[in-house]
């Protein structure tokens, strides 16, 4: 620490060069933060998926519906605790850009199978007693400034009411929070019995059918066996099924965009390789410019280890400063929430990735400083003094 002032003075020697290098590192780590948050938003739900939950969808495509009668048959399959269903509503609020998930569900079963959704008892009771009642996640409630008691019109792009009216009005009776950070609190859920009753009168298509089933199994270790039993139950029927763990189901949704992990890794790899070259060039020039000074330090008794430490410390200080500032700015902006207002409901900067970013900044400093440091260590005093 006693040589910190000397190291800092070396960085300030060429202020423009140091500033530009520092700025490039800051930008790289801001990009790292945003890509980490986007990756978390797209695939983070896989980590939070229930190990004891399986998702059953139509074998060909989730767009195709399944008969509601499958529920009773699923409940009889060995290893199944109970089954419930959801259906994609496809609604928008006021403006097409106000998109978020809405699904009709059976309230008692839904709250039982998703304990990560925290809803006060009084609000859950109100949901059971209100035919047009709906519960909404905290994220969406805050986004639109909804409160309990509000009547919310949602225009469905799929389901019609009698007369062709596609605007459904729901009473907000509850606002749920997530038990863990990263729990999706953007959806709105309303009662399936109300949905089925109204659509029965409004349109012929889809009557008595649901989007997909979620089943809770008794033993997570038997998930593969139970999934096979479920699919075998409906094999050769008019609506065959594909059953998979909830995490795999969420991953399949994300994979429609592409291999998110690979895309993020490729972008960050290219960015940090460029920063490696830029910072390495900066440190190499700094060492060459101070050849005479390094010779003087060796002449007055500084050891090779100390010279190497000076160069590495200077390199690490530069990258850690840039990395910390970039990560801090990224965290500050990301903490303001989903910039797409609903398309990325799990948008946040994971603590794990924040720590990885700090580690990358240190590693970047060591890698970019090691070769100039070795060059300085091998420098002969006579040759260095002759260049002064």
């Amino acid at each position: 620490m006693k040589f910190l002032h000397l190291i800092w003075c070396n960085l300030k020697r060429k202020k423009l060069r140091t500033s530009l290098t520092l700025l490039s590192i800051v930008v790289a780590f801001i990009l790292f933060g945003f890509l980490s948050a986007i990756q978390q938003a797209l695939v983070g739900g896989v980590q939070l998926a229930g190990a004891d939950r399986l998702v059953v969808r139509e074998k060909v495509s989730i767009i195709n519906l399944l008969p509601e009668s499958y529920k009773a048959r699923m409940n009889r399959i060995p290893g199944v605790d109970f089954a419930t269903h959801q259906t994609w509503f496809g609604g928008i609020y006021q403006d097409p850009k106000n998109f978020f998930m809405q699904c009709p569900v059976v309230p008692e079963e839904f709250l039982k199978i998703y304990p990560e959704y925290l809803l006060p008892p009084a609000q859950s009771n109100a949901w059971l007693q209100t035919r047009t009642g709906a519960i909404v996640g905290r994220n969406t409630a805050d986004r639109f400034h909804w409160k309990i008691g509000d009547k919310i019109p949602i225009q469905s792009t799929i389901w019609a009411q009698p007369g062709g009216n596609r605007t459904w009005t729901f009473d907000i009776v509850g606002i749920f929070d997530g038990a863990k950070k990263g729990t999706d609190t953007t959806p709105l859920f309303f009662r399936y019995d109300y949905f089925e009753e109204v659509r029965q009168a409004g349109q012929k298509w889809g009557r008595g059918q649901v989007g997909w089933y979620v089943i809770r199994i008794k033993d997570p270790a038997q998930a593969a066996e139970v999934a096979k039993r479920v699919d075998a139950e409906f094999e050769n029927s008019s609506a065959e099924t594909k059953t998979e763990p909830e995490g795999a189901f969420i991953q399949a949704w994300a994979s429609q965009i592409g291999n998110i992990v690979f895309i993020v890794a490729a972008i960050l790899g290219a960015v940090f390789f460029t920063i490696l070259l830029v910072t390495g060039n900066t440190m190499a020039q700094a060492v060459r410019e101070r050849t005479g000074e390094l010779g003087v330090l060796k002449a007055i008794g500084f050891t090779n280890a100390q010279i190497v430490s000076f160069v590495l410390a200077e390199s690490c200080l530069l990258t850690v400063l840039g990395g910390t500032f970039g990560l801090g700015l990224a965290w500050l902006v990301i903490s303001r929430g989903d910039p797409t207002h609903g398309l990325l409901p799990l948008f946040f900067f994971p603590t794990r990735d924040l720590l990885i970013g700090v580690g990358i900044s240190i590693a970047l400093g060591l890698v970019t400083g090691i070769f100039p440091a070795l060059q300085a260590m091998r420098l002969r005093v006579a040759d260095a003094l002759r260049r002064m």
Side-chain angles (χ1 to χ4, degrees), residues 274-334:
T274 304
I275 296 302
L276 187 70
L277 297 180
V278 171
T279 310
N281 182 64
T282 297
M283 291 307 303
Q285 289 184 6
V287 169
R288 283 196 298 269
E289 292 169 356
R290 301 202 306 271
T291 298
E293 297 175 17
L294 293 173
V296 172
L297 291 177
K298 285 191 171 186
I300 63 177
F302 280 79
T303 65
N304 285 334
Q306 287 177 313
I307 296 298
V308 169
S309 298
F310 284 158
V311 178
L312 288 178
E314 182 179 338
S315 176
C316 287
L317 181 60
L318 180 64
T319 58
V320 170
L321 279 177
T324 302
F325 194 58
L327 291 171
L329 282 177
W331 178 85
L332 188 63
V333 176
I334 292 170

Side-chain angles (χ1 to χ4, degrees), residues 3 11-12 21 33 65-66 86 96 99 102 124 135 151 226 233 243 249 279 288 291 309 324 327 358 369 388:
F3 297 114
L11 284 176
K12 294 193 299 181
T21 304
L65 302 178
L66 293 173
Q86 299 182 29
F99 170 83
Q102 312 100 27
S124 61
I135 62 170
K151 289 184 176 295
V226 175
E233 174 71 20
T243 305
F249 177 75
T279 310
R288 283 196 298 269
T291 298
S309 298
T324 302
L327 291 171
V358 174
M388 293 185 65

